[in-house]
Amino acid sequence: MNAAYLQLQYIYQICNDCVILIAVPRNYDPVLHPFEVPREYTRALNATKLERVFAKPFLSSLDGHRDGVNCMAKHPKSLSTVLSGACDGEVKIWNLTKRQCIRTLQAHEGFVRGMCARFCGTSFFTVGDDKTVKQWKMESPEYGEEEEPIHTILGKTVYTGIDHHWKEAVFATCGHQVDIWDEQRTSPMCSLTWGFDSISSVKFNPIETYLLGSCASDRNIVLYDMRQSTPLKKVILKMRTNTLCWNPMEAFIFTAANEDYNLYTFDMRFLASPVMVHMDHVSAVLDVDYSPTGKEFVSASFDKSIRIFPVDKGHSREIYYTKRMQHVITVKWTSDNKYVLCGSDEMNIRLWKANASEKLGVLAPREKAAMNYNQKLKEKFQYHPQIKRIARHRHLPKSIFCQVKEQRIMKEARRRKLQNQHENLQ
Amino acid sequence: ASSQRLRSHLKLVGRQEELAAARAARLDLLLPEEPGFLEADPGEDTCTVSQGDIAAAVDIASAAKHFELRLEQFGPYRLDYTRPGRHLLLGGRRGHVAALDWQTKTLMCEINVMETVTDVAWLHAETMFAVAQRRWLYVYDNQGVELNCLKRFPGVLRMQFLPYHFLLATASETGFLQYLDVSVGKEVAATCTRGGRLAVMAQNPANAVVHLGHSNGTVTLWSPNVKEPLVRMLCHRGAIRALAVDRSGTYMATAGLDRKLQLFDLRTYRPLHALVLPQGAAHLDFSQRGLLAAACADVVQVRPSPSLPRKPYLCHRLPLPAHGLRFCPYEDVLGAGHGAGFTSLLVPGAGEANFDALENNPYRSRKQRQEWEVKALLEKIPAELITLDPTCLDRVDTASMEQKRQEKIQRLGFDPHAKAKFRPRRKAKGGSSAGSLLRRKRKVAHEEQRVRCGSSPPLTPKNLTPHPKKPHPSALGEPKRVRVVR
């Protein structure tokens, strides 16, 4: 056998009679692969640095509203459609792939206080300051037809929020009290109330579909059971809750966005203490929405930023902000777990990536394998100080940075005072 | 609750690692090649088999690997092989430097540097090499073009290239050990070893620690981060003449002026075997499969380690005394540089039969080399991570953990993880008598001690050490002074 032939078998492999591949013989003996841990550490460091280099989450801004965006709703069947309601009563339907508005309708006079899509995706409901509940078709009207709601219900008081049942033809509105309506009737099936103040938002549980939760202005969160037509439980917090959102994967977990800059995740079976307190915002938290995986949620705050929190951690993993984005009123996580939409009071809806350094589009198998490898390396070495420092570094706008520092000093002072009292009492 | 989750997570990770190791070990069945061997007929010894006999018995390609280059003009030759084992670098004392592909015998370059050459070494690939000339250190291209003259490295006697750190370690005649990062071209560390003229140098391939042999019989271990030697071992009664470390980093072979050849275990720093050679070995090298080559004057003897029998496996007489000895990686070949040139010897069973193409591929093309070079530069290990134990990054940093715990206790005023003292509950009807309370207390009396003992391995006669060692707080480990007394 000559040397050239022997060499050839280590260089080329003939597959399928015509395709020539470069041969890569492997030997996994650890003696041949020294410095396993330092090399993996260096690769993890590089992966963390590259993640920060490629972290460009902002995708686009949907322009068109003529007043601040007050509420948003996701289309249950179409990933590329989103509905938004503005403070001048206008409702716009957007196509996210083209990043354009495909339909505009004047829904109410005054604010559009809440909107929700029906579970089948054929129609949606809006409530406004003009004390009406209107149901609209999801399809655009034909040529020559006018924009008319399918159904209008006139109420006696202002409605501040609406949510539709996940399976049945039932929806709930809130305002003075929580009303549960059947779609065919013009008066509510039942009205539930527990407390003396107005209710700001109501949400149906996506898994145990007969449960609803509501947030009232007298600082409480009330859970209702639709089957018994009674309120179930109540928890009173220190400050008012703006909205709550149920975890789409865990039937009994919900997160409440509170005015005291925190979010509280509760287990509805043990309302005495929250499962987790999420602290990172520096101003009131206005809206919260869960990711479809149920492992993370996004929160919108009055401090002009949105933060993404893991469910089991007390601090955020990501913060998104722009100089142009002012107070963020509403936020949604799209149903394919990839994007986050936020509507702010400067009339823009912004589209962000949920994972800031993710590469969108179809990935080649080698790319996917390399990304999975890098992800695993980052997880393995996440507690090493150098890597942790790079991974959690985020540039904050000056206002938020100063606020964070100030609040840390205040918290430290309170804790020291408490400790001194504790020591001196003993 | 979180510690329960952490414990279960660690158990899961441990199980996954074991599974992965088992699966990788099973892939050994797919290895295409078998290592070589030499078996003598009953009644004969392998050491009486000559190179000519071996060359006649093997195929033409392997027989062509035994050759001799007669270069009598330019002095005794030092040599170096590249890591994949394809290219050879020869440096003669009187200035002759040649780089060639020794398998196809194609000459890459041949120059005379017009100065005394003390040592030659390939850098990370076959594109560049370093020549230690009388005054300074020079770096050349593989075409013989001088790339760099490093005036900060005067009087270099020996060089070792640390491939995963891209560091060139040089030992000079004034006792300085200097490290040069060849990827950025900066001197990383310069240590005054205070050990005199450093003419004996080796590297431990498993942890990139440099071993230096001194004239008082000691071997010192160095890392670029520490100004003192990490370990100092007394190995021989006279000066150290030669030093070699095997590729797994477990054995070190030393040869001294007292004509002894010692084999040390590098995990315990204790001697394993000693052999008296009539002439004493001037050069030592370990092959990939654990064969130890020793050059005693002009005779090269190859012995299997760690057993080191009296009778060598192979023997060969060179025309003049040897000045350089290196096994070729992934080939059953031993290169010896001597006063009359270079000889390539066949040693069946020396080289690793199955290479890993993603680490070192002897058959790589130019494109593959370029891709490999980029990847290697990206995962270049920083010099700060060179320690005696390469896996120390994997361990929990107990010192910092303790410090953080103390700080937390100070800040909070109490210890949040402290367990409350066990108070036995009051039981009805005679269960609360003094005796039964004492009995219940005794059950959990030594819980802490039991937890500590449960986490350490069981004491078997092998594990019994006289002084259980506490891990040193610094990651690099305390410089150990081990006196090896025989």
Side-chain angles (χ1 to χ4, degrees), chain A residues 7 10-11 22 24-28 31-35 37-39 41-43 46 384 412 415 419, chain B residues 27 31 33 86 164 205-206 208 247 354-359 363 368 378-381 390 393 411-412:
Chain A
Q7 275 195 21
Y10 281 109
I11 301 177
I22 308 289
V24 179
R26 302 297 315 269
N27 185 347
Y28 294 101
V31 185
L32 284 175
H33 302 270
F35 300 104
V37 177
R39 285 162 82 186
Y41 175 81
T42 312
R43 286 181 195 163
N46 289 343
H384 284 69
E412 200 45 43
R415 190 201 57 80
Q419 194 185 334
Chain B
L27 287 170
L31 294 174
E33 300 295 326
R86 231 9 230 284
Y164 294 97
R247 126 184 119 137
N354 298 292
F355 60 88
D356 188 313
L358 295 180
E359 286 279 328
Y363 303 103
Q368 279 174 311
L378 278 175
E379 46 177 63
K380 174 184 89 156
I381 305 171
L393 269 182
R411 216 172 70 96
L412 291 174

Side-chain angles (χ1 to χ4, degrees), chain B residues 70-119:
Chain B
R70 283 268 168 186
L71 308 157
E72 275 135 357
Q73 241 189 327
F74 288 105
Y77 280 82
R78 298 267 314 156
L79 71 145
D80 192 22
Y81 284 101
T82 51
R83 273 177 56 79
R86 231 9 230 284
H87 301 269
L88 170 66
L89 182 63
L90 292 169
R93 174 67 64 80
R94 297 204 186 92
H96 179 213
V97 176
L100 62 146
D101 178 344
W102 64 273
Q103 285 182 10
T104 55
K105 316 285 189 306
T106 46
L107 189 66
M108 294 203 302
C109 80
E110 186 174 19
I111 52 174
N112 193 309
V113 299
M114 308 304 280
E115 225 187 346
T116 309
V117 167
T118 45
D119 200 7

Side-chain angles (χ1 to χ4, degrees), chain A residues 32 74 108 186 191 205 234 253 261 264 282 321 393 419:
Chain A
L32 284 175
K74 289 187 275 197
H108 296 275
T186 50
S191 297
N205 187 324
K234 177 188 203 173
I253 306 279
Y261 315 170
Y264 298 93
V282 294
Y321 64 90
H393 174 260
Q419 194 185 334

Side-chain angles (χ1 to χ4, degrees), chain B residues 29 96 151 210:
Chain B
L29 288 170
H96 179 213
K151 296 209 170 120
V210 165

Side-chain angles (χ1 to χ4, degrees), chain A residues 128-192:
Chain A
D129 267 354
D130 53 358
K131 305 183 192 168
T132 49
V133 180
K134 294 190 183 170
Q135 183 183 10
W136 308 80
K137 265 204 312 223
M138 196 63 88
E139 294 169 343
S140 309
E142 308 288 322
Y143 177 69
E145 264 185 34
E146 280 197 12
E147 284 275 11
E148 280 287 318
I150 307 174
H151 193 48
T152 312
I153 300 170
L154 296 165
K156 296 188 197 77
T157 53
V158 174
Y159 296 114
T160 52
I162 183 168
D163 194 28
H164 198 283
H165 197 279
W166 288 79
K167 293 211 179 121
E168 293 170 21
V170 162
F171 64 90
T173 59
C174 62
H176 194 41
Q177 73 267 347
V178 174
D179 296 320
I180 300 189
W181 305 71
D182 188 308
E183 276 176 20
Q184 317 290 337
R185 309 281 174 79
T186 50
S187 65
M189 279 191 327
C190 61
S191 297
L192 307 157

Side-chain angles (χ1 to χ4, degrees), chain A residues 261-280:
Chain A
Y261 315 170
N262 298 340
L263 295 113
Y264 298 93
T265 302
F266 283 96
D267 182 335
M268 63 169 279
R269 303 168 294 183
F270 316 109
L271 280 176
S273 72
V275 169
M276 183 61 75
V277 179
H278 308 274
M279 296 194 210
D280 250 345

Side-chain angles (χ1 to χ4, degrees), chain B residues 85-247:
Chain B
R86 231 9 230 284
H87 301 269
L88 170 66
L89 182 63
L90 292 169
R93 174 67 64 80
R94 297 204 186 92
H96 179 213
V97 176
L100 62 146
D101 178 344
W102 64 273
Q103 285 182 10
T104 55
K105 316 285 189 306
T106 46
L107 189 66
M108 294 203 302
C109 80
E110 186 174 19
I111 52 174
N112 193 309
V113 299
M114 308 304 280
E115 225 187 346
T116 309
V117 167
T118 45
D119 200 7
V120 288
W122 284 107
L123 297 184
H124 58 282
E126 63 266 22
T127 43
M128 295 201 287
F129 56 87
V131 177
Q133 296 175 210
R134 192 169 73 86
R135 289 195 82 183
W136 297 309
L137 183 66
Y138 287 78
V139 176
Y140 293 89
D141 187 26
N142 64 0
Q143 299 305 309
V145 175
E146 179 185 319
L147 296 176
N148 279 298
C149 167
L150 299 151
K151 296 209 170 120
R152 290 191 65 110
F153 293 77
V156 173
L157 287 181
R158 288 285 181 262
M159 296 190 289
Q160 286 284 330
F161 187 69
L162 310 175
Y164 294 97
H165 303 75
F166 280 77
L167 286 178
L168 183 67
T170 60
S172 75
E173 53 194 4
T174 45
F176 273 85
L177 174 64
Q178 288 166 297
Y179 289 84
L180 168 72
D181 189 336
V182 301
S183 57
V184 291
K186 286 215 174 81
E187 185 188 16
V188 169
T191 330
C192 179
T193 61
R194 290 202 210 108
R197 187 169 181 273
L198 303 172
V200 181
M201 185 188 198
Q203 68 156 306
N204 184 338
N207 60 9
V209 160
V210 165
H211 296 233
L212 294 173
H214 301 280
S215 50
N216 57 3
T218 52
V219 169
T220 47
L221 274 58
W222 298 89
S223 152
N225 312 308
V226 188
K227 288 300 159 197
E228 295 287 316
L230 297 171
V231 178
R232 196 175 292 185
M233 291 167 66
L234 179 64
C235 297
H236 286 275
R237 284 236 173 93
I240 308 275
R241 281 186 84 195
L243 200 50
V245 185
D246 87 317
R247 126 184 119 137

